[in-house]
Structure formats: C-alpha cells, structure tokens
Amino acid sequence: MSEYVEIELVRIYCGESDRVDGRPVYELLVEEARRHGAAGATVLRGVLGFGAGSLVHTAKILRLSEDLPMVVEIADRPDRIEALLPRLEALAKGGLIARLPMTARFHCPVRVRDVMASDVATVGPDALLADVVDLLLARNVKAVPVLDAGRRVLGIVTGGDLLTRGGLAARLSVYGLLPRGAREEAAALLSGRTARDVMSAPAQTIGELASLREASQRMVKKGLKRLPVVNEAGELIGIVSRADILRAAAKVPAGTAVALPRFTAGLLQQARDVMFTDVPTAGPDDALPGVVAKLVASPLRRVVVVDKSGAVVGIVHDGDLLARCGPERKPGLFQALFGKKPADDACPTGTVREVMQPTVHSVPEDASLMDVLQAMLAHHVKRLVVTSDGNRLVGMVDRETLLQVIAGRTG
C-alpha cells in the first residue's frame, strides 16, 4: 500500500523473433503475467547484446536482422512469483530467467487477492449439514462456499443460513457453550439435510483484481460479511472477509490516509461522527432477566453496565453470559437468549454484577476511526464503547460501521 514491502522481480531475456505458435514470446509472457494478476510487467527492447550462442544482436544492422534483445520484467510478491514461474518457464523455452529480491512501495489500490485467505474450507452441495457445522467449528470460520466439480461457486453456507434455514439452535460463536441437550437437539434438526438445502444461492462473488473499496461496497450493499474470490475462469481461489478489509485498512500508516482517499480517507472521522447512541444499559445490581431481555432486543448484542453517575463499570454479552454462568443456569439462559422461552420465565435469578465482564474496551468520542479500528484489532473485539468526560458512556461503534465508512456509505 504505502510502506516498502518485499517483492521479487523476474527478468526474462529473449529475442525479438522468438515465437510460440506464431506469436512473440514477450507478448505471451506479459499476457500470462496479467492473467495471473501480477502487480506489473514491462517489456524493454535492447539495442545491443548477445546470448548463450554469442550471436550479437544489434540495432546497427536492423536492416539485416530484427532479432533484437528483449527483456520482460515482472514484479510481484515472492509467493505469487513462485506460483507464476512454471507458466513463465514453459513459455520462455530456454531464455535466461533471473530472479531478484527487492523492496518496493506501491501506490496502487490494494486488491482483493492481496488480503484474501487462499486456504478456504469448501463443501459440495450434497454435504450433510451436520458435517458442515463440524467443519465450520473445526476451522473456526463462519461460512463455507459450496462448489461444483469445476470449483465454481454454487452458493455459500453461512452461520446465518444455518440459523434461519437450517434450524441451528444458536450462533456458531456460542454453539460450543450450549448445554449438551441443546446441542443434541440441534444436531437432530440438521439430520439428513444438506448444504444445498440451506445455502444462499446464487452466491455473490468478486474477482481477484477488484479493489478493497469495491469489495467493501459490495458487502455493504448486499449486507454480507465475506465474499468468495474467483479468477477469470470463475473458479474459486480464495475468500475475503470484512475482517480482512479492516486489517488492511489498519496497516495504512498515519498521515497516508489522505494520500489514499478512495480507501481510507473516511477513517479520519471521529468516533462521535458514526457511533450508535441507543446503547442498552443496566445497573450492576439489576436483575438478570432484565439484562437478558435487553440483550435479545438489541442488535448490538451488548449491554453496558453503568453506575449511578453514568460511568462504565462493566459489559455483558451473550457469549460471556453463557461462559460465566454455571451448568445449573445454562439451560434457562439458553432458552431465554435464543427465544425458546420468555426471559422472565426461563432466566435464572441473579444480578448483573455476577455475570458482567469488568474489563471494558473503550475509546474517547474524539478518537479517529483509524484509532478505533486499531483498538478493535488489538483487543480482538467487534464493538467498542465510546466514552466522554473520563468514563461516561456516550455510545458504541462497531465493525460494520467502519466497513460502511470505507465503502463511502455513512449515515
């Protein structure tokens, strides 16, 4: 993006008259590099030189021989050069190939292929849902593309699909915390059903050469958290998530956001400009059923605990709640949190103080969104409490909002 990074430069020496299937080799090399999505390629025409055959090629005798030296330079990350090299060697047919490690500073937009995950868990359309859930939990991911035999994307199964169409009892992030009986009940509901039955189709995909801004705009427009990445042939080659884009944005050094206005300029805003102000709160001595009801009703899935002066003293979210409650309370909490029974009927007794997380990650309301993003990544959280006057609650900001800012859609 804007820092010097390690790259590799491949330099291929050939002759102007070298041909493959009647076409100049230097043209084919550039086409192959472009098809591969290399960062850049340049063809240089020499005026004098000789190769292994000691035959001098010179422009001075251009009238007699037009076989002048040609040099093709291709630059990219070392791992991508390594993957491209066999295809270049097949085309070069004996021409000298040199590899030079170096550093470079790119000012071009960051592309999807630069940040995507290439080791993607996938399933076929006939995969059993129980196996899909096991795969998601084992790989600690929230979605799997569904592929045909040609690696083309037929659809995608997300945690949301499993909840809404698959009958999964709870979000994947808290599934492992459920009581044993609830997990067995969920497994029974999934029995016999396949990925094809619940997948979102057709899946939204994105090309590997698309910019991160394009990817963020598509995610925001479609309400998605990730996109399968495909090559020119339409084959799956990776997956890019909201977190991948935010991590890339966080790597832009301070002061360069202005130089890259189409990607990160929006992050110069402050937390107060985009924060939610309708944040559910509770007192530390409030009854547990009340805070559970607020958790269920709020899209933030968080309740901030404040004292009588409005100062933040803790936070409660559903994952913490299930983790902090003993086995005797979990069945009731599960029923209350996931709509199996009304909170007042199912939730065990107790107070907020007993279950709240006392460590609350927060930012001041005048913090830049770049600082907010850095704090989220450092603390591995999706939302941050926004405070003023020391520690008084004024709002909350989340990852979805930051993605909207990067996509150029706020408010």
Side-chain angles (χ1 to χ4, degrees):
M1 292 186 291
S2 57
E3 292 183 312
Y4 283 92
V5 297
E6 291 187 357
I7 69 160
E8 190 166 319
L9 183 71
V10 172
R11 189 171 287 162
I12 305 165
Y13 297 83
C14 57
E16 189 175 19
S17 63
D18 291 348
R19 295 285 192 276
V20 171
D21 297 331
R23 296 189 58 198
V25 166
Y26 60 86
E27 281 188 12
L28 294 173
L29 290 169
V30 172
E31 283 184 9
E32 191 61 37
R34 184 176 182 278
R35 189 176 297 113
H36 182 73
T42 304
V43 178
L44 307 172
R45 193 183 196 201
V47 297
L48 182 65
F50 67 91
S54 298
L55 178 64
V56 174
H57 305 264
T58 172
K60 294 178 181 177
I61 54 173
L62 184 60
R63 297 292 181 184
L64 301 177
S65 171
E66 295 186 350
D67 189 18
L68 296 175
M70 304 295 287
V71 179
V72 181
E73 292 188 340
I74 300 169
D76 208 337
R77 295 198 321 255
D79 60 321
R80 293 185 55 78
I81 289 292
E82 190 67 35
L84 175 61
L85 209 53
R87 294 146 74 174
L88 299 179
E89 290 171 342
L91 290 170
K93 293 189 177 300
L96 176 64
I97 299 178
R99 303 173 65 177
L100 298 88
M102 55 179 61
T103 60
R105 185 174 183 174
F106 293 101
H107 292 280
C108 57
V110 185
R111 296 175 179 173
V112 164
R113 65 155 192 229
D114 297 323
V115 304
M116 71 181 189
S118 54
D119 181 18
V120 185
T122 63
V123 297
D126 297 323
L128 294 174
L129 279 192
D131 294 337
V132 173
V133 172
D134 289 343
L135 179 63
L136 290 167
L137 295 173
R139 295 288 295 265
N140 193 28
V141 294
K142 303 294 175 54
V144 288
V146 182
L147 306 184
D148 66 11
R151 290 194 63 77
R152 283 177 286 274
V153 183
L154 299 174
I156 188 168
V157 177
T158 68
D161 294 328
L162 291 168
L163 277 173
T164 57
R165 290 194 284 271
L168 196 66
R171 300 194 316 275
L172 288 169
S173 59
V174 298
Y175 188 77
L177 299 172
L178 297 183
R180 180 177 178 180
R183 290 201 301 274
E184 291 175 349
E185 181 183 338
L189 288 172
L190 299 176
S191 178
R193 305 180 70 188
T194 66
R196 190 196 306 273
D197 297 330
V198 304
M199 68 182 184
S200 295
Q204 290 288 323
T205 62
I206 194 160
E208 60 178 323
L209 300 182
S211 71
L212 293 194
R213 186 173 174 92
E214 291 176 73
S216 62
Q217 288 173 334
R218 188 168 303 181
M219 286 183 190
V220 169
K221 183 178 181 180
K222 300 293 183 181
L224 303 172
K225 297 178 180 177
R226 57 196 65 79
L227 293 167
V229 182
V230 296
N231 60 17
E232 283 188 339
E235 300 164 337
L236 180 81
I237 59 169
I239 194 165
V240 62
S241 69
R242 181 174 63 184
D244 294 327
I245 295 175
L246 295 178
R247 278 194 292 269
K251 291 178 181 177
V252 177
T256 58
V258 176
L260 297 168
R262 291 186 60 78
F263 183 44
T264 57
L267 297 180
L268 296 175
Q269 297 178 77
Q270 297 179 336
R272 62 161 68 96
D273 299 325
V274 301
M275 67 184 184
F276 296 96
T277 55
D278 185 18
V279 180
T281 62
D285 296 318
D286 287 356
L288 211 46
V291 78
V292 170
K294 290 180 179 179
L295 273 176
V296 172
S298 173
L300 295 174
R301 308 295 291 183
R302 307 283 190 281
V303 173
V304 179
V305 186
V306 297
D307 63 16
K308 292 180 179 178
S309 70
V312 177
V313 296
I315 193 167
V316 178
H317 63 76
D318 50 11
D320 274 348
L321 202 55
L322 281 168
R324 285 169 171 269
C325 283
E328 74 284 356
R329 289 181 169 185
K330 277 190 178 180
L333 273 175
F334 165 69
Q335 292 179 332
L337 283 170
F338 300 103
K340 304 299 180 184
K341 286 185 178 179
D344 286 342
D345 297 338
C347 192
T349 58
T351 66
V352 171
R353 190 188 302 277
E354 298 172 39
V355 298
M356 72 180 189
Q357 169 62 257
T359 300
V360 182
H361 300 297
S362 64
V363 291
E365 60 179 339
D366 59 354
S368 74
L369 294 188
M370 183 61 85
D371 289 339
V372 172
L373 177 54
Q374 300 278 4
M376 280 186 184
L377 295 173
H379 297 305
H380 305 287
V381 295
K382 297 178 180 177
R383 297 174 177 84
L384 284 173
V385 169
V386 183
T387 60
S388 71
D389 299 332
N391 197 30
R392 189 173 63 82
L393 175 70
V394 293
M396 187 175 283
V397 62
D398 69 357
R399 294 200 305 190
E400 176 61 26
T401 301
L402 296 184
L403 190 73
Q404 290 175 357
V405 168
I406 290 172
R409 295 179 60 181
T410 57

